[in-house]
Amino acid sequence: RSIRKNGGSVVSGAHVEEVVLDSEGRASHLRVRHKQKDMMVQADNAVVSNADLWSTRNLIKENQGSAPSIDKWKEFANECSEMDQCESFMHLHLGIRAEGIPKIPPQFAVVRDWQKPIESEGNVMIIAIPSLIDPSMAPEGKHVIHAYTAGNEPIALWKDVERGSPEYSKLKEERSQVLWEALERIIPDIRSRVEVEMVGTPLTHSRFLRRSNGTYGPLLKAGDGMLPGHTTPIPNLYICGDSTFPGIGVPAVAASGTICANTISGLREHLRTLEAMGF
């Protein structure tokens, strides 16, 4: 609503194929696939990528001339690509019959072994039942459930698996069992209550969220360096999201977007905004 209120527009189902540079090496257009057609979108002010850095790197084609910014971008992108990646997720989205369910919290964690690290494979799972807070999220007498492994699903298991293949279906079934077992701890007859079931995998993350390998994000341990900021060597191209400072998680990603917006808008706009807020 904020974007439209301020004169912008939101286009869904539009896959960005390429960030197009002008003769001076500036980000000037986006080549977008929308409704099975290619279209060019002009960037009057800036291009901001919220995709992870590995995916953003692939949006800049190397055959776009020889401006100094392109050479600097290659160096920047290569450094970013050397960052390690966190593992991924398994997701279980359910719609269930709600009658007779015991009193449970709307969100909680299940830990299989407290002696193992949090990132151990399948050790920690998060379960959310948002319809316990907002009944309008499900039909009357039903609940929606989202259960997921907390960034500990090995990417390597899915590397050579093709979506839609029998092998993929079999692996989805196998790898989602830890989530079913976690749910059965609180709702023992959960499987018999299910009316809607959807399983998400690292390949789901890669396809729908444009996550490289389905990763949760960059794996950067404290003291091992810094995540990049929000400007890039290519003029007019900015980056935000969990591959940039301050990192992974909803609060951090929201902060990265704010920092990026502030970087683009400039000091005068900052002052005007503060004045409008009464500061």
Side-chain angles (χ1 to χ4, degrees), residues 53-54 76 80 83-84 217-221 224-230 239 241-248 252:
L53 287 174
W54 300 280
F76 172 79
C80 292
M83 287 192 299
D84 292 330
L219 178 61
L220 188 62
K221 296 180 179 179
D224 284 355
M226 287 285 290
L227 290 167
H230 304 89
I239 50 177
D242 60 15
S243 296
T244 65
F245 179 84
I248 289 175

Side-chain angles (χ1 to χ4, degrees), residues 11-12 15 86 107 123 128 139 164 169 189 198 206 220 242 250 254-255 276:
V11 181
S12 60
H15 188 86
C86 291
Q107 181 163 323
N123 191 39
S169 298
D189 61 346
M198 294 187 293
S206 180
L220 188 62
D242 60 15
V250 173

Side-chain angles (χ1 to χ4, degrees), residues 56-187:
T56 301
R57 175 193 60 187
N58 294 332
L59 295 176
I60 311 294
K61 308 305 180 185
E62 294 189 358
N63 60 351
Q64 295 200 59
S66 57
S69 61
I70 298 178
D71 293 332
K72 292 179 181 178
W73 166 259
K74 291 178 183 177
E75 182 179 344
F76 172 79
N78 287 337
E79 289 178 2
C80 292
S81 67
E82 292 175 359
M83 287 192 299
D84 292 330
Q85 293 181 342
C86 291
E87 299 291 7
S88 189
F89 297 81
M90 286 298 298
H91 293 272
L92 191 57
H93 294 274
L94 301 176
I96 68 167
R97 289 180 284 105
E99 69 273 8
I101 284 182
K103 187 175 182 179
I104 51 179
Q107 181 163 323
F108 55 95
V110 173
V111 181
R112 298 174 75 193
D113 187 342
W114 285 96
Q115 303 306 312
K116 292 182 179 180
I118 189 173
E119 70 273 15
S120 295
E121 181 179 330
N123 191 39
V124 179
M125 286 143 286
I126 308 298
I127 296 173
I129 312 175
S131 49
L132 284 171
I133 298 175
D134 181 359
S136 70
M137 297 189 70
E140 185 176 354
K142 317 291 183 183
H143 277 312
V144 290
I145 298 178
H146 176 207
Y148 60 94
T149 55
N152 53 45
E153 176 66 10
I155 290 172
L157 289 177
W158 303 84
K159 280 277 190 181
D160 299 317
V161 179
E162 183 179 350
R163 280 190 313 102
S165 65
E167 181 187 7
Y168 182 59
S169 298
K170 183 173 183 291
L171 194 57
K172 284 172 66 176
E173 176 70 18
E174 292 174 357
R175 299 303 297 176
S176 63
Q177 289 309 302
V178 291
L179 297 171
W180 283 111
E181 292 165 9
L183 283 165
E184 286 171 331
R185 293 190 183 192
I186 55 161
I187 309 175

Side-chain angles (χ1 to χ4, degrees), residues 32-51:
V32 178
R33 187 177 72 248
H34 182 51
K35 296 181 179 179
Q36 299 183 338
K37 295 181 180 179
D38 274 1
M39 56 186 290
M40 296 293 283
V41 179
Q42 183 174 339
D44 291 331
N45 191 15
V47 172
V48 180
S49 174
N50 185 45

